[in-house]
Amino acid sequence: MISPLDQSDALLLVDVQNDFLEGGSLAVPDADAILPVLNRYLALFADRSLQIVASRDWHPAEHCSFVENGGQWPPHCVADTPGAAFSQSLILPASCYVVSKATTAEHEAYSGFDGTELTSYLQQHRVKRLFIGGLATDYCVLQTVLDALKNGFAVVLLVDAIRAVDVQSGDGARAIAKMIENGAQTAKLTDIKP
Ligand code: VGL
Ligand code: ZN
């Protein structure tokens, strides 16, 4: 049971950036399918003037996570390039608070809380519960949700608005199980009370 939305709720979109979408350098399978769903969540939160936060992977060209620098991933989300931009299809309000992460060459950060001001921003705005969707389930969504729980926020994982990389088949499903084990609730659009 998801209690009705109130002023202590915020929506957190994780890395809904072109490089993770269709045609991007690190495209997550079926990722574009979450865009219309995220827009429905955005409208629910914007209509109530609730906080909306969007994290973004914001790497320097020499980032340690890139294959050419000894990392695991093709170059992606290089700061200020089109691949790092939020999807044009996403209807983000002007008031959206943007969190950039993994912005230095030597440090990888999957979590939106890692090396950012996100916790203090949310505390200042009296946020207690985070509704989280975005990309990718088995990396940045997973680590963001686990950190949110560690930092004392309640988490509702938006299971109809996430997609996994699935480097190994089942990674996404295992990530969801781990988030639930650690205390996340799950919800779909139809579970959110108007
Ligand atoms: C991500 C791989 C590399 C993510 C970011 O946003 O899940 N995945 N960098
Ligand atoms: Zn990255």
Side-chain angles (χ1 to χ4, degrees):
M1 240 288 283
I2 306 297
S3 62
L5 293 178
D6 68 36
Q7 291 303 319
S8 64
D9 291 324
L11 178 64
L12 171 52
L13 306 191
V14 176
D15 300 6
V16 189
Q17 295 168 270
N18 291 326
D19 272 340
F20 297 124
L21 294 160
E22 198 181 311
S25 64
L26 182 37
V28 175
D30 198 36
D32 288 48
I34 71 172
L35 296 172
V37 184
L38 288 174
N39 280 333
R40 299 278 302 275
Y41 285 115
L42 282 162
L44 278 172
F45 281 73
D47 289 351
R48 291 166 176 73
S49 299
L50 302 180
Q51 290 293 325
I52 295 172
V53 179
S55 70
R56 62 186 183 185
D57 224 20
W58 200 247
H59 298 319
E62 315 75 29
H63 194 249
C64 60
S65 76
F66 299 172
V67 172
E68 66 219 52
N69 305 316
Q72 179 186 359
W73 307 110
H76 62 277
C77 299
V78 173
D80 290 311
T81 63
F86 292 123
S87 168
Q88 290 251 39
S89 313
L90 211 55
I91 304 164
L92 293 173
S95 60
C96 179
Y97 178 70
V98 175
V99 178
S100 303
K101 63 183 172 63
T103 59
T104 61
E106 320 75 41
H107 184 65
E108 175 63 307
Y110 288 140
S111 164
F113 292 92
D114 187 347
T116 73
E117 300 294 306
L118 183 52
T119 300
S120 57
Y121 178 85
L122 294 171
Q123 286 170 348
Q124 273 162 27
H125 290 85
R126 310 266 183 278
V127 171
K128 296 198 173 69
R129 182 170 64 168
L130 289 169
F131 289 69
I132 301 181
L135 303 166
T137 309
D138 34 1
Y139 293 92
C140 290
V141 171
L142 171 62
Q143 297 308 327
T144 299
V145 165
L146 294 179
D147 274 354
L149 293 165
K150 272 184 210 147
N151 295 344
F153 299 99
V155 172
V156 179
L157 177 68
L158 304 174
V159 289
D160 51 358
I162 55 177
R163 287 296 184 276
V165 183
D166 277 333
V167 170
Q168 309 275 352
S169 122
D171 282 353
R174 281 186 290 273
I176 292 172
K178 187 161 183 181
M179 291 185 263
I180 293 169
E181 260 170 49
N182 280 271
Q185 288 187 290
T186 60
K188 308 185 288 301
L189 258 175
T190 49
D191 299 323
I192 312 290
K193 306 286 170 300

